[in-house]
Amino acid sequence: MSTAPTAEVPRLEDKTIQPIPANERHGKARDLFTIWFGSNIMIMTIVTGGLATTVFGLGFVPAIVGIIIGNVVGGIFMALHSAQGPQLGVAQMIQTRGQFGSFGALLIVVIVVIMYVGFFAANLVFGGEAMAAVSPGISVDAGIVIIGVVSVIATIFGYRLIHAYARVLSVAAGLALLLAFGWILLVHGLPASFLEQGNFNWVGFMGTISVSALWQLAYAPYVSDYSRYMPQGTGSAPAFWASYSGCVLGTLFPMILGALVGTLAVSMSAGDVEIVGSLGAMLQPWTLIIVGIFCLGVAASNAMNLYCGVLCTLTIGQTFKPHWLPRAKTRSIAAIILFVVAVSIALFARDNFILFYTNFLSFLMYVLVPWTAINLVDYYLLRHGDYRVEDFFKRDGGVYGRFNWVAIGSYIAGALIQVPFSATAVYTGPLAAAMGGVDISWIVGLVVVAPLYYCAARIFGQKPEAAPFPSPAITADLT
């Protein structure tokens, strides 16, 4: 079997949302492990794990169980999306047009842009606080700007630089994480009452599972953006397992570190607990090195958020101007605009950011779960990966049309069905209240939407001819 010769891929990425030609495909499945492992070992992952023992009030053992369950389950969905990239060679939100139609996908894309900006801002705040904690000469605001600038530079250079950055971080951040655990457990030590701190409660336990699962699910709208350059022969199974193991392991241990720090901080403080400051105090005299490396992880994660946010923003523009296929210059301008928006949010909201962050996570759960169910059912069970990629770029949606009302209706139904089961600081549904505030909305959403969409699509949908890849002529025209 012959393979297309591989072209030299420029260091400054010139592609944005267009399909990646076969001769520009490169890399191996192991690259997916390093990008997800290295980019997840950062301050915000640690803070998120700390929610289990601080905000949710769990003891250390139930906190760890909840973190493990959430990541192991949520990672399955994340990795199933990643495996789509080598097959189709396009960004995830472009592929979403195959389920929702060219204009129907806009709602999802806009929501995902908001998600990217929100995560970018959250990363900036936690990273800025970490930099200020280890470098007294740097204020939180200055730290926010520094991390943001590094993220923008990586985004401008694009795919190759982000992957290379994550490979280095996989080693550096992994060693820093080991040192942090070793220092806290062996040198700082655990008090005799450590396991007696906190308690088990179903609200906190389910909240911990939900937040951990959402961490993985939140990658679903852009995980294939980082596998779309992989050669088509990479295979779905290698792409799945490399992404799954990298993201789950890279998230699991920082979250456990956060739960550990939260438990220790609660035992030593009668007031509110600040995870970043507590971590810095426990790691002395290694604080500058370890937390500094974790801050590099923040910049890597933010580069990924910004990069994919830009792709989604360009997807919105291309919907209304089908023949417009932007390049590196346009990506750079869009990156700077989104950077300014996210920095403004971070500077404005940083004083009450934990409250903002927890509510933001709840919002994401309700809007992402129906989309991921529809996308995975459509790709794996209905079309088996067979899509007309060239039709994703047509104004009328080609065989997928402007609006797929089966998918849109299923999405709306999935969002609404979660409301009675939701429990947030803003609203608690009647069924969640009847269960003592336990939020199982995302589980209900998955269980309802997946079969609903499958059955409705089989009954009312029309499956197009299998033509998954654009012809060479079309590829040349698009690129």
Side-chain angles (χ1 to χ4, degrees):
M1 179 178 175
S2 63
T3 58
T6 302
E8 177 63 27
V9 181
R11 292 187 181 278
L12 179 63
E13 184 186 1
D14 65 345
K15 298 290 186 297
T16 54
I17 59 175
Q18 51 270 76
I20 307 302
N23 67 342
E24 291 189 25
R25 302 288 194 95
H26 63 281
K28 298 183 183 299
R30 64 172 177 263
D31 296 330
L32 298 176
F33 175 88
T34 55
I35 195 168
W36 296 113
F37 183 79
S39 63
N40 275 292
I41 304 177
M42 59 171 176
I43 291 296
M44 195 166 85
T45 324
I46 296 169
V47 171
T48 302
L51 297 177
T53 51
T54 56
V55 173
F56 296 134
L58 292 177
F60 183 69
V61 173
I64 299 311
V65 174
I67 288 172
I68 292 173
I69 292 173
N71 278 287
V72 167
V73 173
I76 295 172
F77 300 96
M78 172 269 186
L80 285 172
H81 286 285
S82 181
Q84 299 174 18
Q87 174 77 357
L88 300 177
V90 292
Q92 187 73 70
M93 286 298 103
I94 288 289
Q95 188 255 10
T96 293
R97 292 172 175 174
Q99 292 92 49
F100 289 84
S102 59
F103 283 87
L106 283 175
L107 171 63
I108 312 300
V109 179
V110 170
I111 289 173
V112 169
V113 171
I114 294 171
M115 180 190 79
Y116 292 136
V117 172
F119 271 122
F120 192 100
N123 264 325
L124 289 177
V125 171
F126 297 137
E129 290 177 350
M131 288 192 69
V134 300
S135 305
I138 298 179
S139 66
V140 175
D141 290 351
I144 286 173
V145 174
I146 291 170
I147 292 175
V149 169
V150 173
S151 304
V152 169
I153 293 172
T155 301
I156 289 172
F157 276 87
Y159 183 93
R160 288 189 64 181
L161 179 59
I162 294 173
H163 262 283
Y165 190 5
R167 281 194 292 271
V168 174
L169 270 179
S170 290
V171 177
L175 292 174
L177 191 62
L178 285 174
L179 179 56
F181 271 113
W183 191 262
I184 291 175
L185 294 174
L186 302 177
V187 179
H188 182 276
L190 304 180
S193 61
F194 177 76
L195 294 179
E196 298 173 8
Q197 298 298 321
N199 56 65
F200 178 85
N201 64 88
W202 279 107
V203 174
F205 185 66
M206 291 304 299
T208 299
I209 292 176
S210 297
V211 166
S212 302
L214 175 61
W215 186 276
Q216 302 291 335
L217 285 169
Y219 288 125
Y222 71 76
V223 64
S224 70
D225 296 3
Y226 291 96
S227 61
R228 77 192 199 279
Y229 272 93
M230 296 288 161
Q232 226 174 325
T234 299
S236 295
F240 174 91
W241 287 112
S243 301
Y244 182 83
S245 57
C247 204
V248 170
L249 293 175
T251 303
L252 194 59
F253 292 108
M255 283 193 176
I256 291 174
L257 178 61
L260 173 64
V261 171
T263 303
L264 290 170
V266 168
S267 69
M268 296 184 295
S269 173
D272 293 335
V273 173
E274 207 273 301
I275 294 291
V276 176
S278 299
L279 176 65
M282 293 175 194
L283 292 177
Q284 293 290 351
W286 298 97
T287 303
L288 181 59
I289 295 174
I290 296 176
V291 177
I293 292 174
F294 291 159
C295 287
L296 294 177
V298 171
S301 178
N302 255 2
M304 295 171 69
N305 285 321
L306 186 57
Y307 176 84
C308 298
V310 167
L311 295 187
C312 285
T313 303
L314 299 180
T315 297
I316 295 172
Q318 195 271 340
T319 301
F320 299 97
K321 191 176 180 183
H323 298 295
W324 177 61
L325 288 170
R327 298 282 185 169
K329 181 179 179 180
T330 307
R331 185 181 68 245
S332 301
I333 294 171
I336 293 171
I337 293 172
L338 289 184
F339 159 74
V340 171
V341 173
V343 168
S344 300
I345 294 172
L347 295 175
F348 177 77
R350 70 177 179 83
D351 291 335
N352 298 301
F353 211 78
I354 282 293
L355 178 61
F356 167 84
Y357 183 54
T358 51
N359 287 329
F360 175 67
L361 291 178
S362 299
F363 163 76
L364 288 183
M365 184 67 77
Y366 305 135
V367 297
L368 286 182
V369 162
W371 169 80
T372 197
I374 290 168
N375 179 274
L376 294 180
V377 166
D378 192 83
Y379 185 91
Y380 289 101
L381 300 182
L382 294 174
R383 302 182 192 272
H384 306 288
D386 289 342
Y387 291 88
R388 292 178 182 265
V389 172
E390 65 269 32
D391 284 15
F392 294 162
F393 295 86
K394 294 179 179 178
R395 185 183 182 87
D396 64 359
V399 296
Y400 307 109
R402 289 184 171 85
F403 297 93
N404 179 354
W405 293 109
V406 172
I408 294 170
S410 299
Y411 179 84
I412 293 172
L416 292 177
I417 196 65
Q418 295 178 83
V419 174
F421 298 91
S422 65
T424 69
V426 178
Y427 171 79
T428 298
L431 296 179
M435 292 185 290
V438 176
D439 189 330
I440 60 169
S441 56
W442 66 280
I443 299 174
V444 173
L446 283 173
V447 170
V448 170
V449 175
L452 172 64
Y453 176 68
Y454 179 82
C455 294
R458 291 295 296 267
I459 296 171
F460 302 107
Q462 181 179 1
K463 183 178 178 181
E465 298 178 40
F469 309 111
S471 67
I474 293 173
T475 301
D477 181 62
L478 287 172
T479 57

